[in-house]
Amino acid sequence: KAGVTQTPRYLIKTRGQQVTLSCSPISGHRSVSWYQQTPGQGLQFLFEYFSETQRNKGNFPGRFSGRQFSNSRSEMNVSTLELGDSALYLCASSLGQTKTNYGYTFGSGTRLTVV
Amino acid sequence: AQSVSQHNHHVILSEAASLELGCNYSYGGTVNLFWYVQYPGQHLQLLLKYFSGDPLVKGIKGFEAEFIKSKFSFNLRKPSVQWSDTAEYFCAVTTDSWGKLQFGAGTQVVVTP
């Protein structure tokens, strides 16, 4: 089956702009989690969606938001971009029915550069 | 607060050498444990995972890990590494939080020919 698809692969944005990233999970997976990966902070959890509802949220400012559609595809939005938002944004999909999950499959990520 | 510690940030070793990467977590409840690998320019791939049962877990590409509950540890091992094992390795833990993997800082492993 197809893996987790993230689009676009690369983005260059200017400070103050907003950006939307997309993630299509593995077919049948209803949970999508988002992570930010930077050299300094490593992999940090942003939020998780299941059946169009945000179930969990990390410690990021309100400029970071997301949503999930009825087909489980998810989008992440960052408004008023800052230089420090430059990172690799990863999404992971899973079945999501239990907290003790059977594992997460990651997409290739979107590399966002803010200039 | 929950945390995951990886003992080494960088490891350099020769082909055929043995590899052991340390991982400790701080959480008193039930955990699921994972090791992920990120090859240069590629996405995170699952090496192995532990949920319950035999604490010695075997994964892909000859990797294995041992869960020692009393030490809150989940160390990764490979008896003989290859140049293609050059990558960054991440230990991760899930606890009672929906959809959240808590990652360690990662260990960059370089295998020299």
Side-chain angles (χ1 to χ4, degrees):
Chain A
K1 50 186 173 183
V4 179
T5 303
Q6 290 188 248
T7 56
R9 289 296 306 277
Y10 302 93
L11 267 178
I12 300 175
K13 290 286 188 178
T14 304
R15 268 186 306 174
Q17 287 186 313
Q18 73 162 12
V19 67
T20 299
L21 313 181
S22 178
C23 173
S24 293
I26 289 172
S27 177
H29 284 191
R30 295 165 62 190
S31 167
V32 174
S33 301
W34 287 89
Y35 295 82
Q36 182 195 64
Q37 185 177 21
T38 60
Q41 300 297 318
L43 282 148
Q44 294 186 289
F45 173 76
L46 282 154
F47 30 64
E48 186 254 8
Y49 285 86
F50 179 84
S51 291
E52 301 179 68
T53 301
Q54 186 183 86
R55 285 194 303 196
N56 201 358
K57 189 176 187 303
N59 296 323
F60 278 81
R63 299 185 297 107
F64 292 82
S65 63
R67 60 178 175 167
Q68 187 179 37
F69 302 94
S70 58
N71 62 356
S72 294
R73 187 177 72 85
S74 177
E75 287 182 347
M76 189 192 108
N77 185 273
V78 188
S79 63
T80 319
L81 284 165
E82 300 176 0
L83 294 178
D85 296 333
S86 295
L88 180 67
Y89 290 89
L90 296 167
C91 81
S93 83
S94 65
L95 290 168
Q97 284 98 333
T98 64
K99 291 178 179 177
T100 54
N101 222 307
Y102 292 108
Y104 301 82
T105 303
F106 283 83
S108 298
T110 294
R111 172 75 63 185
L112 172 65
T113 302
V114 182
V115 296
Chain B
Q2 301 157 14
S3 66
V4 179
S5 299
Q6 291 186 236
H7 306 161
N8 310 95
H9 293 296
H10 287 91
V11 172
I12 301 174
L13 60 167
S14 302
E15 277 190 311
S18 64
L19 173 70
E20 180 160 0
L21 302 181
C23 173
N24 286 89
Y25 62 93
S26 63
Y27 182 72
T30 301
V31 294
N32 295 330
L33 299 151
F34 304 81
W35 275 98
Y36 282 88
V37 61
Q38 191 172 33
Y39 297 103
Q42 296 189 28
H43 60 281
L44 283 165
Q45 299 175 40
L46 181 66
L47 273 178
L48 46 78
K49 59 191 177 188
Y50 173 81
F51 293 114
S52 63
D54 188 345
L56 186 61
V57 180
K58 294 195 182 300
I60 61 171
K61 305 188 181 188
F63 286 90
E64 64 178 31
E66 184 176 13
F67 171 52
I68 302 179
K69 189 174 181 179
S70 60
K71 295 185 178 179
F72 298 88
S73 71
F74 189 55
N75 293 351
L76 180 72
R77 299 193 290 254
K78 185 170 184 178
S80 176
V81 294
Q82 300 172 316
W83 177 79
S84 57
D85 292 322
T86 294
E88 190 157 18
Y89 293 80
F90 294 91
C91 179
V93 174
T94 60
T95 57
D96 62 352
S97 187
W98 285 112
K100 177 182 177 180
L101 275 166
Q102 183 82 37
F103 282 92
T107 298
Q108 182 65 52
V109 173
V110 175
V111 180
T112 60

